Amino acid sequence: MTFHSELSIVIGVATRRTPFQRRLRRLFGEAGWRPVLQEDGGAVPECDVLVIDIDRLRDIRDRVPTLAVTSETVALDLVPGTVDVRAIVDRDDLDGSFLNAVHEIASGHGWISPTLVRSLLRPPSPADSPAHRAVAATPYPARLTAREREVVALVTSGLNNGEIAATLHVAESTVKFHVSNILHKTGCRDRSQLTAHARALVPRTA
């Protein structure tokens, strides 16, 4: 997608993953904007629009117009009221979503990735329970991605592949791919063993 804006925008990029930072720097530069990367351990750069991981929002001290990036179902309790979040985009979205989000923010508007709208509007489900979140946050012996941890939590909640696909707003084939990778990484034979394995790792509370 070709996108070029006449708006002169300085964009602070404060996301963790280097490949993703490179993608955003290229994308914003091609749009005619000036991306400024956050140095390792450094302060959030001065900018017109800040792009940052949603779980790092509490690190922001200034009310700069912000684009929050998430890689899983949006948790609104991760968005503190002291931060000027004007857009939320899924990390896996196409380039156009990031460009549209920044353009709308700079124009004084807001933007929500279409892939996230249903998760923001849907009523609470078992996937929103404290038990689900505990499983999703559990550090597994194998290195699972954030999305894979989310899938494990949903499997542990008793959802089948179709229900998981509907919850995450992805194709059922994508869920099957994630489950296959998870079983391989954890060394589990099947979903039942994965569920038992995941529940055993969740810290018990008094």
Side-chain angles (χ1 to χ4, degrees), residues 7-26:
L7 293 172
S8 177
I9 306 172
V10 177
I11 305 176
V13 179
T15 57
R16 290 191 183 91
R17 300 178 184 177
T18 301
F20 185 62
Q21 287 181 347
R22 285 198 293 263
R23 174 193 172 193
L24 294 181
R25 183 171 59 183
R26 172 194 57 77

Side-chain angles (χ1 to χ4, degrees), residues 10-189:
V10 177
I11 305 176
V13 179
T15 57
R16 290 191 183 91
R17 300 178 184 177
T18 301
F20 185 62
Q21 287 181 347
R22 285 198 293 263
R23 174 193 172 193
L24 294 181
R25 183 171 59 183
R26 172 194 57 77
L27 181 64
F28 296 147
E30 290 176 354
W33 302 325
R34 184 164 69 88
V36 179
L37 299 183
Q38 180 185 29
E39 300 294 334
D40 288 340
V44 172
E46 294 187 9
C47 54
D48 301 308
V49 175
L50 176 66
V51 182
I52 190 169
D53 298 314
I54 196 169
D55 60 349
R56 299 188 62 206
L57 289 174
R58 297 187 187 279
D59 296 339
I60 302 176
R61 297 293 177 263
D62 300 321
R63 288 188 62 83
V64 57
T66 298
L67 163 58
V69 179
T70 181
S71 59
E72 46 195 284
T73 303
V74 177
L76 290 179
D77 59 352
L78 289 177
V79 182
T82 56
V83 180
D84 188 12
V85 174
R86 300 190 186 181
I88 302 176
V89 174
D90 191 307
R91 183 185 299 276
D92 296 328
D93 269 352
L94 299 177
D95 290 351
S97 290
F98 291 93
L99 295 173
N100 285 329
V102 171
H103 188 271
E104 290 300 312
I105 291 173
S107 300
H109 307 299
W111 173 270
I112 296 177
S113 169
T115 61
L116 298 174
V117 171
R118 287 182 62 191
S119 69
L120 286 169
L121 296 179
R122 66 181 172 84
S125 71
D128 299 311
S129 67
H132 168 89
R133 293 187 181 182
V135 173
T138 298
Y140 295 92
R143 188 174 183 81
L144 300 186
T145 66
R147 178 62 87 187
E148 288 169 345
R149 291 197 302 272
E150 182 76 2
V151 171
V152 171
L154 293 170
V155 168
T156 305
S157 297
L159 276 63
N160 61 33
N161 286 348
E163 292 168 332
I164 294 173
T167 299
L168 299 180
H169 314 297
V170 298
E172 188 169 346
S173 59
T174 300
V175 175
K176 292 178 180 177
F177 175 77
H178 284 315
V179 171
S180 177
N181 282 344
I182 292 165
L183 293 177
H184 175 74
K185 288 183 178 181
T186 58
C188 294
R189 295 187 308 273

